[in-house]
Structures are given as C-alpha cells and as structure tokens.
Amino acid sequence: MVAATTAAAAAPPLSGPRSPARFRRHGFRVDSGLKDDLVFGDPNAPRFVLWEGKLRPVPSKPADLPFFDLMSIPGKLRAGLGALGIRPPPPGREESVEEFVRRNLGAEVFERLIEPFCSGVYAGDPSKLSMKAAFGKVWRLEVAGGSIIGGTIKTIQERGKNPKPQRDPRLPKPKGQTVASFRKGLAMLPNAITSSLGSKVKLSWKLTSITKSDGEGYVLVYETPEGAVSVQAKSVIMTIPSYVASDILRPLSSDAADALSRFYYPPVAAVTVSYPKEAIRNECLIDGELQGFGQLHPRSQGVETLGTIYSSSLFPNRAPAGRVLLLNYIGGATNTGIVSKSESELVEAVDRDLRKMLINPRAVDPLVLGVRVWPQAIPQFLVGHLDLLEAAKSALGQGGYDGLFLGGNYVAGVALGRCVEGAYESASQISDFLTKYAYK
Ligand SMILES: Cc1cc2nc3c(=O)[nH]c(=O)nc-3n(C[C@H](O)[C@H](O)[C@H](O)COP(=O)(O)OP(=O)(O)OC[C@H]3O[C@@H](n4cnc5c(N)ncnc54)[C@H](O)[C@@H]3O)c2cc1C
C-alpha cells in the first residue's frame, strides 16, 4: 500500500530470444496508450519511519547503513552478523515474517523497519503473515545461499549466467527503485484498457454461477442491467476476490470452496487530506519543502494511522501551489474496528496522529478530499497461504475442472505490479490450455 508498486514490476518482458517460451509465443501489446502519462517518484526521495516521536529516514542504499539513526549500533551489528549467517538456523517449519526477521536480522530490524513495512504493503500483522508467501524473494535468499547475504551473492552470480529478459525499449525506464502512477492517477489505466477493449468490457455484469456445460467448457450466468445473461466459455479465469470465488465454486467443489473461504481480507480506510504548506513542521521540511515518499508508523509508536503517502511530493500536479496532499491509510489486520467508525472519526484520527509528528499542532483543519473504507481490502498471505492455494487448485484439478483458473491478487501477490505480471501468467496458462482446440 504505502510502499506502492515498483515501476519496473508492471512491465512485461520483451518478446525475444531470451524470453521464456510463453512470452515468445504471444506478442504482447505492452502499450495501453499511456506511456507518456506515466509519472515516477524520485528514487532518491527519502522514506521515513516514526520512531520515538521523530520521523527518521530509512536507508535507501548500502552506503547509508552505518549512518542512519533509526537503529542503534548494536542493532546494526546484529543485523549485519545475522545477514552473514551468524544466527539461529531455520526451525524446519513455515515461519511468520516476525519469526524469520527476528531470527535473521534481530529485533530492531523487525520492530523499526519490517513491522511498519508490513503495514505499508499488507496492512497486515507480521506475527501471522508468512515469510515464504508474503516476501518470497527474501525468504528464498536464505534457502538458496544459507544466509541473506549468501543468497544475494548467489542470486547475482546466477543472474550473470542467465540474464533477465530484455526490457521492452518502448517502456520508460525508472532511474531506480521507485513508485509509479499516471498523470491523473491510477484510474487512467483501467479507463485506457476499457476504451481499447470497447464493448467487450462489461462493468455492471455480476457473475452469479458457473456450471459445467453438457459439451466441453462452462456456462456462466451473470446478473446484468438487462436481466440474467448466460455465456458459454471453453476456459474461465476467475480474478474475483477469493471469498466471492468460494461462494460461486461451492456447487462445483466444496474442497476448493473451503480452501478459498479461508483467506482473510482485513478492512482498510484511505483518508486523503490537504493542508497548507505552512502547516508542516519546520523540522520535517527539506530545503523548505515537504519531500519524500511518505512515512510509516510502527504499531508500538502510539499512533493509529498505518502510514502516509506524500502524494503532492511524489507526483506532479497533485495539489495547488502552497498546499500539500497527504494520502493516509488506517485500519488493517491489527485494527479492524475502523469499520465501525464514521468518516469524520477517521479523519479526526488521522489528523490527530499527523499533529504528533508532521503537522504543527496548531495548524488549521485539513481539507478533506476523500474517505474510502474497503471492508475487505487486501488478502493476507498468512502462514499456510500457499498450501491453501494449492489445495484449492488441486481440488479443481481433481474435480475435472480443466480450463477453470484462479487469478488475482491472492494468487499472484498483492502489489499492483505483481497483479499485472500474474495477469500475463494467467493469459499464458489459458492460451496453452486453448491450444488443444487449435485447428490441426
Ligand atoms: C486501500 C488499498 C491501497 C493499496 N495500495 C497499493 C499500492 O500503493 N501499491 C500497490 O502495488 N498495490 C496497492 N494495493 C493493492 C492492489 O491495489 C491490489 O492488490 C490489486 O488492485 C488487486 O487487483 P485484483 O484484480 O486482484 O483485485 P480487485 O482489484 O479487487 O478486482 C476484483 C474485481 O472483481 C470484481 N467482482 C467481485 N465480485 C464479482 C462478481 N460476482 N462478478 C463479477 N465481478 C466481480 C470486483 O468488482 C473487482 O473489480 C492497495 C489495495 C488497497 C485496498
């Protein structure tokens, strides 16, 4: 969430000699017409974590590590030794994010960096999130190299031997790890896709049932403004939330439905507010401006808001001159009570928190630009997530439901970039499946 999509993640690799076969076969349409509307955050802009009443920058490159004041010297030493492999061995069972990070990198890295990061990405509880499922890339480093640093070295060596597929040269290249959006916000992407697909997109059709058809394939029944409509399809990809898929699939496979019903989506609220620039505390300004990606708040620091994105610092034209636009997230797995709060209570909670560290306590009231509550916001990749997902897929396979695929964020990963990559993977699966119908 707060640590939004990395720009590079959303770009499919270029078709070419090094691309995996599935990418070679289907020429991708990589441009939804928005290339010139992409906007990137400055990769060098700081990110902050609230610790003991102060917003402290997070190290953005290895050279920052000795100097940043978010961790103590013993905490940094513990992290360095652990990353080298001087730490307790893995327990031989699936670990939570908290267990993995405390064991490998120590308490300070967990409490001051990873715990707030889990709020930022999952609005989640790191004592329940699975390291393997939620942060698989880091989890694999220890498996591959015996330690986080050992695994990093091994990954770099392997990348030298098998370079990544070349990036499509038509895509803009961000200058580092950053976040991206579009000039008029993310809504530009679905709107552009909708206009290029035209009437094939049915925004007000609600899927109510799937049955196997008498011949091959499936019959899907939709509730539409024109009444019930049924559609016959050889293959179906369900990218609806898992709890909806669970209900729809129950008549086909109760095992798949049971597994899908167990993924948990906590509520999150997004509260967008604007203050005049003078409302920002002096100590939070850099060269007289609010600069950076935003800030994250560990649960131990006495604030309810999970984190704040400095929208007007990250992207151009998000606020008129003299004002700042702040997008705040509140709620999540550790604070599900937000669903019973009114909009004004949510704004009050966010404003109260911001006045503890970013906004002058006597500043004027903010302008409220939007409050949106998602009662079931983000699927949590908890310990056991991958097993449940596998159970759902194999129940469908064993039930003989060939050509019926599961997709979306609880399958691919919650970051928008992973959802886009996952969509290409799903398209490839469907295409492979449909080759059996190809004219031979
Ligand atoms: C508050 C919030 C902030 C976030 N911030 C970020 C961020 O900064 N960066 C980032 O990378 N990611 C972020 N994410 C995560 C990311 O946005 C999501 O993981 C991603 O958009 C999910 O895409 P999806 O297609 O899997 O699911 P969804 O976008 O949830 O799409 C599911 C669709 O299924 C439709 N549907 C449901 N039931 C039916 C039915 N019966 N018939 C037909 N259609 C149905 C729904 O209407 C919906 O359109 C955020 C998520 C939330 C909630």
Side-chain angles (χ1 to χ4, degrees):
M1 274 187 359
V2 177
T5 288
T6 55
L14 174 69
S15 306
R18 288 195 194 282
S19 313
R22 64 178 193 276
F23 291 132
R24 271 204 305 278
R25 264 202 312 278
H26 325 291
F28 282 135
R29 204 173 159 264
V30 294
D31 192 348
S32 48
L34 293 180
K35 188 181 126 182
D36 297 333
D37 292 297
L38 259 175
V39 284
F40 295 107
D42 172 2
N44 299 316
R47 297 144 163 102
F48 300 92
V49 166
L50 176 68
W51 193 256
E52 292 176 347
K54 196 176 152 202
L55 291 167
R56 299 165 195 266
V58 170
S60 57
K61 51 186 180 312
D64 298 340
L65 288 173
F67 307 109
F68 74 105
D69 77 346
L70 179 59
M71 282 171 57
S72 68
I73 291 173
K76 291 177 191 175
L77 285 173
R78 166 66 182 86
L81 291 173
L84 283 167
I86 303 168
R87 46 90 184 98
R93 58 172 168 78
E94 188 175 357
E95 285 181 290
S96 68
V97 171
E98 176 166 4
E99 288 169 326
F100 179 95
V101 177
R102 282 189 187 274
R103 181 174 61 75
N104 273 287
L105 299 169
E108 287 195 15
V109 172
F110 173 71
E111 287 158 11
R112 305 181 190 194
L113 285 166
I114 303 303
E115 189 257 19
F117 185 69
C118 287
S119 297
V121 177
Y122 285 93
D125 176 350
S127 69
K128 300 198 174 117
L129 288 168
S130 153
M131 189 68 197
K132 181 179 174 184
F135 300 110
K137 270 191 191 162
V138 180
W139 175 82
R140 277 190 290 278
L141 292 177
E142 190 187 24
V143 176
S147 67
I148 291 180
I149 291 188
T152 307
I153 294 170
K154 206 157 178 199
T155 309
I156 294 169
Q157 287 167 341
E158 273 161 17
R159 205 175 286 156
K161 285 184 222 147
N162 305 304
K164 272 188 176 172
Q166 199 194 338
R167 205 182 144 76
D168 189 310
R170 289 174 298 164
L171 290 170
K173 199 163 189 276
K175 293 187 180 68
Q177 192 77 6
T178 184
V179 295
S181 183
F182 296 94
R183 215 167 27 84
K184 292 185 181 168
L186 271 183
M188 286 186 85
L189 180 62
N191 289 342
I193 294 170
T194 305
S195 43
S196 79
L197 291 177
S199 62
K200 286 182 203 146
V201 178
K202 308 287 186 197
L203 290 178
S204 44
W205 284 31
K206 183 177 169 195
L207 180 67
T208 53
S209 75
I210 298 185
T211 43
K212 255 194 148 174
S213 72
D214 294 339
E216 278 182 292
Y218 300 89
V219 178
L220 298 99
V221 178
Y222 291 88
E223 219 174 81
T224 82
E226 291 77 40
V229 172
S230 53
V231 172
Q232 178 98 23
K234 291 194 174 80
S235 180
V236 178
I237 167 84
M238 299 180 87
T239 60
I240 48 187
S242 58
Y243 49 89
V244 185
S246 168
D247 288 346
I248 290 176
L249 290 175
R250 187 158 295 282
L252 302 190
S253 164
S254 57
D255 287 345
D258 286 346
L260 290 169
S261 70
R262 289 176 58 194
F263 296 124
Y264 170 52
Y265 293 62
V268 174
V271 178
T272 308
V273 288
S274 167
Y275 294 89
K277 210 175 98 182
E278 310 76 70
I280 307 289
R281 292 185 182 199
N282 272 340
E283 68 268 24
C284 298
L285 298 173
I286 301 173
D287 299 333
E289 300 291 332
L290 178 67
Q291 290 190 29
F293 281 82
Q295 56 191 53
L296 288 167
H297 312 141
R299 301 299 72 217
S300 57
Q301 299 302 295
V303 291
E304 193 179 353
T305 310
L306 296 166
T308 300
I309 296 180
Y310 303 163
S311 302
S312 51
S313 309
L314 257 184
F315 302 122
N317 305 319
R318 291 292 201 259
R323 295 202 71 93
V324 295
L325 184 70
L326 303 176
L327 165 55
N328 306 275
Y329 290 109
I330 184 166
T334 56
N335 182 14
T336 53
I338 56 130
V339 277
S340 51
K341 285 196 166 157
S342 66
E343 289 193 358
S344 57
E345 284 171 332
L346 290 169
V347 173
E348 270 166 37
V350 164
D351 179 59
R352 191 171 47 239
D353 285 343
L354 291 174
R355 284 168 199 267
K356 291 179 186 164
M357 77 315 251
L358 180 72
I359 299 294
N360 285 311
R362 286 162 207 267
V364 293
D365 287 344
L367 285 178
V368 180
L369 292 134
V371 179
R372 167 85 195 255
V373 180
W374 280 270
Q376 288 172 289
I378 298 181
Q380 302 292 292
F381 282 40
L382 303 180
V383 171
H385 180 92
L386 297 176
D387 295 334
L388 277 179
L389 188 58
E390 196 41 52
K393 286 180 181 171
S394 60
L396 289 177
Q398 281 160 18
Y401 299 110
D402 297 343
L404 180 56
F405 298 101
L406 301 174
N409 57 1
Y410 70 94
V411 178
V414 299
L416 190 58
R418 266 305 301 150
C419 295
V420 173
E421 289 174 336
Y424 280 102
E425 286 154 19
S426 295
S428 171
Q429 270 181 311
I430 294 170
S431 173
D432 286 346
F433 172 77
L434 290 177
T435 51
K436 76 174 186 179
Y437 295 101
Y439 179 74
K440 299 209 174 84

